[in-house]
Each structure stands twice: as C-alpha cells, then as structure tokens.
Amino acid sequence: MEVQRELSEIIRTEVKDPGLNNVMVTVVSAEVTPDLKYCKAYISVLGSEEAAGEALLGLKRAVGFIRKELARRVNLRNTPEIKFILDQSIEYGVHMSRLIDHVTGSMKSEEAGEDLEEGDDWDQE
C-alpha cells in the first residue's frame, strides 16, 4: 500500500515526461513480490486510448527516475523493478454505468409515454 501511495505521489508531482502532460494518471494498485524484486503497478489514465498509450510510454521512459525516487522515499531492502500495466477496469465501469443509465432513461421515457396515453383515455370518458 505504501508503494502504491508513493508511486502515485511521484508520478503526480515529480515526473516531467511529455507523454504525461494533460492526462491524469492514477495508480490503481501495486503488487510487490515477497522478495521485493519486482512490482506490477496497475495504472488508469483519464482520456483517450491514444493518451493512455502515450502515458504508458512516458512512464516506461521515466521508470529509472521513478525507481530512484521510490528508493529514496520508501525504506525497502531492495528497490523493485517496476512494470507499468494499463488497467482499464475503471473506464470499463464508467462505460457500463453510462449504458445502464441510458437504458433506464429510455425505459422511464417509454413508461412516461404510456402513462400519458392512459391519461388520455381517462380524459375522453
């Protein structure tokens, strides 16, 4: 958890790669092996697929700097090699939520239309 928090902070405040300009990168989770040699950092990028690809390339270019900063900030026996992996689960969740909202909105519109038709029948009697 501490590695995840520090990676987020380093990426947000210290990394100056052009691939990370104008995008918001979130470290969703970080898995460190028990021997502290490797770390998989799952990231989410707010923006298009192209922006996500650029951000991932920017992080890969800056991985040496990020690793050095992580070693300085977190007292670990070894500083893990970091592999950044794009995690699209948040974007997928937002997409599914929009689809659900669209469907429920359509259903409410249809129900409202049916209510009006039934109301018209009552007015005619």
Side-chain angles (χ1 to χ4, degrees):
M1 194 64 165
E2 186 175 355
V3 171
Q4 177 184 348
R5 184 175 40 247
E6 290 301 327
L7 282 174
S8 284
E9 184 69 19
I10 292 166
I11 291 168
R12 187 173 57 82
T13 61
E14 303 293 327
V15 177
K16 305 293 185 217
D17 191 275
L20 299 173
N21 290 346
N22 303 321
V23 293
M24 186 170 153
V25 176
T26 304
V27 179
V28 178
S29 68
E31 297 174 358
V32 181
T33 58
D35 62 0
L36 303 175
K37 289 190 177 186
Y38 303 98
C39 172
K40 288 183 183 176
Y42 295 91
I43 62 160
S44 176
V45 179
L46 188 63
S48 67
E49 282 187 37
E50 184 179 310
E54 285 294 318
L56 199 55
L57 285 174
L59 289 170
K60 286 180 181 180
R61 285 190 295 258
V63 75
F65 171 78
I66 294 169
R67 211 173 154 213
K68 183 180 77 170
E69 280 297 306
L70 187 63
R72 192 176 65 77
R73 293 176 182 211
V74 180
N75 187 17
L76 297 173
R77 193 167 20 105
N78 295 318
T79 303
E81 289 183 34
I82 304 166
K83 180 178 182 180
F84 292 103
I85 301 167
L86 191 58
D87 180 0
Q88 297 175 323
S89 61
I90 293 174
E91 188 174 315
Y92 178 76
V94 169
H95 175 70
M96 292 305 290
S97 183
R98 285 184 183 146
L99 289 175
I100 291 168
D101 289 346
H102 177 71
V103 169
T104 57
S106 296
M107 291 173 70
K108 287 180 183 177
S109 296
E110 288 176 9
E111 288 174 3
E114 289 173 6
D115 289 345
L116 288 176
E117 290 173 11
E118 290 173 8
D120 290 343
D121 290 343
W122 287 102
D123 290 339
Q124 293 175 356
E125 290 181 6

